[in-house]
Amino acid sequence: MFRRKHSHNHQENDSSQDAKVNELRTAIGPISGRSLQYCTDACLRRYLEARNWNVDKSKKMLEETLKWRSNYKPEEIRWHEVANEGETGKVYRANFHDRQGRTVLILRPGMQNTSSQDSQIRHLVYLIENAILNLPEGQEQMSWLIDFTGWSLNTNVPIKTARDSANILQNHYPERLAVAFLYNPPRIFEAFWKVVKYFLDPKTFQKVKFVYPKNKDSVELMSSYFDVENLPTEFGGKAKLQYDHEEFSRLMAQDDVKAARVWGFDNKLHHVNNGYSGAEVVPEPVPLAPPAS
């Protein structure tokens, strides 16, 4: 009896959520082109979820993103434009997924190699878009692993960069981050964190987990998300962490072709030297489930 009642409530909940999705779609009015492709039902749900299913607030949030995307054009960033930021592997997509099939980004702030805030953020945005591009069917989120090896207040991300990155993530990629594990941060990081946590909305803040190798609970939490065999030793696992910039660059160049197809723009300008003919990258019909970020 209890069970049936429970599932009935759940269905009601689902149908009221669907109604909110439709309400939000009506509220944003006619859109076309990439904005329309971006605004899948799944996308609208993420914006509603981020604003506790308040349609007015979700509309405001989504409109800000559509404006940001049309100016910043994150889907048009090409690897060769940000590759120099990636030379040390300070942020890259891991070659393994978490237990739920999520794309994993590895962030190593101690490997900072440049000083231009704008291009650092552009590089991060490229990799967030790339993580989304590589999500398996039915999975909408990514996991972040943050390794503090080599981190000090000198290599530290300036507060402004941290704030701007956090704002882009939570304002323009709502509900895309499942969890961010901060692995064994040094004591001195606590001062930095005290400031940064004020930039995070409550939903994002809850997704940040500190993991200390000597703390059994935090290690267990981590292994509930990751298979120790896949996990690099830097995060308490058994795998060897290897970042090969040339190999990763080849992978990203292939993904750039894929992104161009998905978003329906011609990639031939960027790939003249790669032996691609324009014919191979003609925009295909919009797939049923384009990556909505």
Side-chain angles (χ1 to χ4, degrees):
M1 187 64 200
F2 175 74
R3 256 201 178 133
R4 257 171 69 189
K5 193 173 166 196
H6 182 77
S7 68
H8 175 67
N9 288 348
H10 184 69
Q11 275 172 341
E12 250 177 26
N13 195 13
D14 279 359
S15 59
S16 71
Q17 286 188 358
D18 290 343
K20 295 254 184 182
V21 170
N22 293 334
E23 203 184 321
L24 177 55
R25 193 172 288 288
T26 308
I28 53 177
I31 47 174
S32 61
R34 284 186 215 164
S35 289
L36 181 60
Q37 186 178 342
Y38 179 76
C39 290
T40 59
D41 282 0
C43 171
L44 300 193
R45 279 171 186 278
R46 282 191 298 275
Y47 281 80
L48 285 159
E49 183 65 42
R51 292 292 176 263
N52 295 315
W53 295 84
N54 176 314
V55 174
D56 291 337
K57 287 180 178 173
S58 305
K59 171 180 186 268
K60 187 173 182 291
M61 185 188 194
L62 181 53
E63 284 174 343
E64 289 293 320
T65 294
L66 293 176
K67 197 159 69 185
W68 175 76
R69 289 188 74 90
S70 71
N71 292 328
Y72 201 85
K73 298 186 169 58
E75 74 283 4
E76 284 188 26
I77 305 169
R78 290 290 154 267
W79 176 249
H80 68 82
E81 298 165 18
V82 294
N84 69 308
E85 290 288 338
E87 281 169 10
T88 56
K90 66 186 174 198
V91 189
Y92 68 98
R93 175 162 61 81
N95 61 0
F96 58 89
H97 291 79
D98 72 7
R99 290 187 191 276
Q100 302 298 318
R102 299 184 189 100
T103 308
V104 178
L105 286 187
I106 290 179
L107 294 86
R108 301 188 289 173
M111 308 292 240
Q112 186 52 271
N113 61 326
T114 63
S115 55
S116 159
Q117 186 206 345
D118 291 343
S119 67
Q120 286 168 8
I121 287 180
R122 210 167 161 74
H123 175 241
L124 180 63
V125 167
Y126 172 90
L127 287 165
I128 292 172
E129 288 280 325
N130 182 265
I132 292 164
L133 184 71
N134 284 284
L135 286 172
E137 192 69 39
Q139 179 51 264
E140 298 181 36
Q141 293 187 307
M142 56 184 168
S143 295
W144 286 13
L145 287 173
I146 304 172
D147 166 32
F148 285 91
T149 307
W151 190 89
S152 70
L153 284 174
N154 307 332
T155 59
N156 187 7
V157 179
I159 293 287
K160 185 179 178 337
T161 311
R163 188 189 63 209
D164 292 353
S165 304
N167 284 340
I168 286 175
L169 178 70
Q170 58 197 14
N171 296 339
H172 302 313
Y173 295 95
E175 295 303 307
R176 283 302 196 182
L177 182 68
V179 66
F181 284 109
L182 277 58
Y183 193 81
N184 208 17
R187 285 294 297 273
I188 200 160
F189 177 75
E190 288 166 21
F192 181 68
W193 177 244
K194 278 196 174 97
V195 181
V196 172
K197 68 181 182 190
Y198 287 109
F199 310 142
L200 302 182
D201 64 39
K203 282 183 186 285
T204 307
F205 181 75
Q206 284 169 354
K207 292 171 182 175
V208 178
K209 313 287 182 197
F210 285 73
V211 178
Y212 297 97
K214 294 195 172 79
N215 176 317
K216 194 162 160 285
D217 289 347
S218 69
V219 171
E220 278 174 8
L221 179 68
M222 186 115 162
S223 63
S224 73
Y225 278 84
F226 291 96
D227 181 345
V228 188
E229 299 299 322
N230 289 334
L231 210 54
T233 50
E234 282 78 356
F235 300 101
K238 296 182 177 174
K240 188 164 166 33
L241 183 64
Q242 278 175 315
Y243 176 74
D244 178 333
H245 187 61
E246 274 182 36
E247 181 53 38
F248 192 73
S249 295
R250 273 198 294 277
L251 204 61
M252 294 303 102
Q254 290 167 4
D255 278 354
D256 285 349
V257 178
K258 186 159 83 174
R261 275 195 199 129
V262 166
W263 289 104
F265 52 83
D266 200 337
N267 212 27
K268 113 183 120 183
L269 296 171
H270 299 286
H271 282 281
V272 172
N273 308 330
N274 286 16
Y276 290 104
S277 72
E280 282 176 62
V281 286
V282 293
E284 293 178 357
V286 176
L288 286 173
S293 36

